[in-house]
Amino acid sequence: MTAPRPLHTVLGSGPAGTALARELVRRGRPVRLVDRSGNGPAIEGVERYAADVATPEGARAAVAGADVVYHCVNVGYHLQVEVMPRIQEAVLGAAEAEGARLVVLDTLYPYGQTHGAVMTEDTPWNATTRKGRMRAELDARYLGAHHEGRLPVVLGRSGDFLGPGVLNSTLGGAVFPAALTGQPVPALGDIDLPHSYTYIEDVAAGLATLGEHPDAHGRVWHLPTAPARTTREILALVEERTGRPIDLAVVAEPRPFGPFDETFMAEYAEMFYQHTEPQILDSSAIEKAYGLAPIPLETALDATLAWYGELLAAQH
């Protein structure tokens, strides 16, 4: 009789969590995908599970039996400073009690403004914004829990998401439907600055790899990210693929646009520096350590446009 394969539990069924669940199934892992409803399209090989991981009881139920836990939970922008620390406390406690390893999907916010310097894993954490300081404090606690011997923890940091299923991103639901239908396409800040966008499939591959390698734990890694391009260059690639000229609407300062309402933009204003200085992410460390290579941006755009095309067709 063969022993059961170790369970990989993904907390959060947004674009990253869903892509990660699929990637883990491709790698032959039994997967539980957790969110508050437990609903959503069936994914072969994935058990959907309902739990509120902001509570200790919900987090414990969610991770029961897990060998590796992936924390991909996020909340509304205006709730993050209040809610994310509560989720951290519950998830850390539950994973520790279960004896699981913890892989955390992270942001670039702890670095704060870099004035265009390339971001590596050695870049100082100089955040001055509320959300940046909050993320830095959470990350210090995650790494502290690891170094105190409570449980193995690793952090995977990503740039702005891009890809199928990605709606709430600066290259997401405000951009691709408009580009496909000839509507004004919003572009934030200075679009002639290089900006790293991380393809959602590379997020999934990077997190799954970190979950498979206990030797990766105890530090921050940058998830595989294609070389930075200017947003103008990326929009030109979109133009080529759609065969339509883009009607560009530059959003030079924080204001509501597309799916980003007044509540969101009021909270996002402090992070707008990400569009007024270069955002260049170096992911060479994880690429060299584990033989990963980011998917080319052109391939990512092809897949993203195809997904949005299907989404628009289904709405009509």
Side-chain angles (χ1 to χ4, degrees):
M1 186 173 176
T2 58
R5 292 173 296 159
L7 176 65
H8 288 237
T9 293
V10 179
L11 308 180
S13 65
T18 300
L20 173 58
R22 291 194 174 101
E23 175 66 20
L24 290 167
V25 168
R26 281 195 291 271
R27 296 181 182 214
R29 309 296 181 184
V31 179
R32 176 187 298 152
L33 180 59
V34 180
D35 61 20
R36 293 179 69 173
S37 73
N39 298 323
I43 303 172
E44 187 174 353
V46 174
E47 170 205 2
R48 285 191 176 271
Y49 189 90
D52 180 1
V53 300
T55 68
E57 301 78 18
R60 282 198 297 271
V63 309
D67 183 60
V68 185
V69 175
Y70 302 83
H71 177 2
C72 300
V73 179
N74 208 350
V75 298
Y77 226 59
H78 61 294
L79 301 173
Q80 288 186 4
V81 172
E82 174 192 352
V83 177
M84 291 303 286
R86 199 159 68 230
I87 293 173
Q88 177 190 53
E89 185 176 357
V91 170
L92 267 178
E96 179 183 6
E98 193 62 35
R101 294 186 283 122
L102 181 61
V103 180
V104 181
L105 173 59
D106 195 18
T107 72
L108 304 181
Y109 292 4
Y111 298 133
Q113 291 179 258
T114 62
H115 309 292
V118 174
M119 286 175 270
T120 72
E121 289 87 344
D122 295 323
T123 297
W125 300 6
N126 288 328
T128 58
T129 63
R130 289 169 62 245
K131 283 177 282 297
R133 289 196 305 269
M134 177 269 292
R135 291 281 185 176
E137 288 166 7
L138 295 187
D139 289 357
R141 285 188 209 125
Y142 282 126
L143 295 175
H146 175 91
H147 294 301
E148 290 160 13
R150 290 175 54 190
L151 77 169
V153 184
V154 63
L155 307 180
R157 287 186 177 158
S158 162
D160 288 341
F161 288 169
L162 160 71
V166 176
L167 296 168
N168 296 321
S169 169
T170 51
L171 269 185
V175 171
F176 293 103
L180 286 163
T181 58
Q183 302 301 308
V185 172
L188 298 187
D190 185 345
I191 64 172
D192 291 307
L193 298 174
H195 195 107
S196 292
Y197 294 93
T198 307
Y199 185 41
I200 201 69
E201 299 298 332
D202 286 327
V203 172
L207 293 175
T209 298
L210 294 177
E212 289 179 342
H213 289 86
D215 62 309
H217 287 55
R219 57 165 289 182
V220 170
W221 296 86
H222 288 172
L223 300 175
T225 301
R229 310 275 274 273
T230 71
T231 302
R232 191 183 298 277
E233 288 177 303
I234 293 170
L235 294 176
L237 292 172
V238 172
E239 276 187 332
E240 290 174 15
R241 282 156 174 73
T242 61
R244 282 178 179 273
I246 282 182
D247 179 10
L248 196 60
V250 175
V251 182
E253 57 188 27
R255 63 176 173 80
F257 69 96
F260 302 118
D261 60 18
E262 190 170 343
T263 300
F264 174 87
M265 288 308 291
E267 280 292 333
Y268 192 66
E270 67 171 3
M271 307 304 300
F272 205 76
Y273 70 81
Q274 296 174 107
H275 308 286
T276 59
E277 66 177 28
Q279 291 278 289
I280 306 172
L281 178 64
D282 179 337
S283 60
S284 58
I286 198 170
E287 294 170 34
K288 291 172 183 171
Y290 299 110
L292 298 176
I295 291 168
L297 183 61
E298 290 80 0
T299 305
L301 288 173
D302 289 339
T304 303
L305 284 163
W307 184 85
Y308 272 101
E310 292 171 5
L311 181 68
L312 290 173
Q315 294 172 348
H316 293 90

